Amino acid sequence: MKEAEFNVSVPDDVGGLLQEIHRRGGTMKVKVAENILSANDRVAEENSRLLKESGVYVINMMSSPGAGKTTLLEKTLAALKDKYKIGVIEGDVATTADAERIEKLGVPVVQINTGSACHLDGSMVRGALEEFDLGSLDLLIVENVGNLVCPAEFNLGEDHKVMLLSVAEGDDKPLKYPLMFRESAALVINKIDLIPYTNFDMDKARRDSLSINPRLDVFPLSCRTGEGLDGWLGWLESGINAR
Ligand SMILES: Nc1nc2c(ncn2[C@@H]2O[C@H](COP(=O)(O)OP(=O)(O)OP(=O)(O)O)[C@@H](O)[C@H]2O)c(=O)[nH]1
Ligand SMILES: [Mg+2]
């Protein structure tokens, strides 16, 4: 965590936990954490303004490591890249492996390596945006770092957050990790081809997700077989066309 450069006080109504942190002298850490988030929101708003002026529709794709973000990107690009001008930002702790997968499809891609950070933030994306001719793009897809918690806390300036849950992760994840489900506009439930080998209960996953966020659009699909991909592609195209 960075040193305190800001000075915003913790609200009085933060409850017993923060009072206890305060009593133990941990107040500054809480203040700094709050300020990192609000400083990020300011950069995200600038990104959002720039992207809206450029007329590009932007989604921020999030999930646990390995849920299938890059594979869904590959399928999505294969289906839409001749119809729309698309750019991709890849976020990973290390390597350019995912960017290399996207590059093979002839789509402009920028890789961000976060080093130790478990999420992308507004400033990282701001730097990557400078590498694109934004005015020529219809759609920009940001693949966030694989992590089911932190990416949902950081706005990037996107129009919509989209999350993936793969059936191998278990149907208990919506209730255990509610923030990402709450923040997202669409939920892709990937790897449905593996359902026969798991105890994943689709009805429960859908019900619990919607209990957290009734506005979620839910798309069960398999990147492997292609089943269900059309619903997802239709949702994405309506976002592009609305912009
Ligand atoms: N059976 C099955 N496997 C899939 C499906 N989609 C992706 N996979 C596999 O899941 C593994 C991880 O996929 P990726 O697309 O690399 O996952 P990711 O979310 O981008 O992973 P990180 O970038 O590391 O967070 C790969 O071996 C994919 O082939 C699917 O629908 N069914
Ligand atoms: Mg990936």
Side-chain angles (χ1 to χ4, degrees):
M1 192 176 283
K2 286 183 182 160
E3 289 299 310
E5 292 169 10
F6 314 96
N7 192 20
V8 174
S9 58
V10 178
D12 292 335
D13 59 347
V14 288
L17 178 61
L18 291 186
Q19 281 168 14
E20 181 61 15
I21 292 169
H22 180 89
R23 198 179 63 73
R24 293 181 188 194
T27 317
M28 283 311 292
K29 282 190 179 170
V30 174
K31 283 182 181 175
V32 172
E34 286 199 341
N35 278 292
I36 286 174
L37 286 173
S38 65
N40 181 72
D41 276 345
R42 281 196 293 279
V43 180
E45 271 170 33
E46 284 167 25
N47 289 349
S48 171
R49 206 173 309 124
L50 173 69
L51 290 160
K52 284 199 166 65
E53 278 166 16
S54 306
V56 54
Y57 174 62
V58 186
I59 64 165
N60 172 9
M61 203 182 260
M62 308 177 292
S63 79
S64 303
K69 297 180 294 301
T70 313
T71 310
L72 182 63
L73 253 170
E74 290 168 325
K75 300 291 176 192
T76 301
L77 295 173
L80 299 184
K81 75 185 170 88
D82 293 335
K83 195 168 172 188
Y84 302 100
K85 292 268 190 306
I86 308 176
V88 174
I89 295 176
E90 283 291 349
D92 281 293
V93 170
T95 83
T96 55
D98 282 1
E100 287 164 31
R101 288 169 63 181
I102 301 306
E103 210 163 32
K104 283 192 186 129
L105 295 163
V107 170
V109 56
V110 173
Q111 176 81 53
I112 299 172
N113 282 146
T114 59
S116 56
C118 55
H119 59 270
L120 293 176
D121 66 26
S123 302
M124 296 176 197
V125 168
R126 180 52 173 265
L129 291 180
E130 287 166 16
E131 305 295 322
F132 291 94
D133 176 9
L134 291 176
S136 72
L137 291 184
D138 301 309
L139 169 66
L140 179 66
I141 303 179
V142 182
E143 179 182 340
N144 217 309
V145 178
N147 182 311
L148 203 52
V149 181
C150 308
E153 294 178 359
F154 288 81
N155 294 321
L156 306 178
E158 70 278 51
D159 291 291
H160 289 127
K161 292 183 173 69
V162 171
M163 73 168 292
L164 280 76
L165 173 69
S166 64
V167 302
E169 292 167 68
D171 55 27
D172 57 349
K173 295 303 172 287
L175 296 184
K176 290 178 72 178
Y177 299 88
L179 182 67
M180 197 171 283
F181 292 83
R182 192 173 300 130
E183 293 289 317
S184 295
L187 164 65
V188 170
I189 301 182
N190 190 29
K191 309 195 188 182
I192 58 171
D193 58 292
L194 296 180
I195 284 180
Y197 311 103
T198 71
N199 59 356
F200 190 87
D201 181 337
M202 183 63 76
D203 289 341
K204 173 176 163 47
R206 187 192 287 270
R207 194 171 55 244
D208 289 348
S209 301
L210 290 172
S211 76
I212 295 162
N213 178 359
R215 296 177 312 282
L216 259 182
D217 288 315
V218 183
F219 300 104
L221 59 82
S222 166
C223 287
R224 170 125 330 156
T225 66
E227 185 183 351
L229 267 174
D230 283 351
W232 155 250
L233 293 172
W235 184 88
L236 194 55
E237 283 202 75
S238 53
I240 299 169
N241 293 326
R243 173 55 53 85

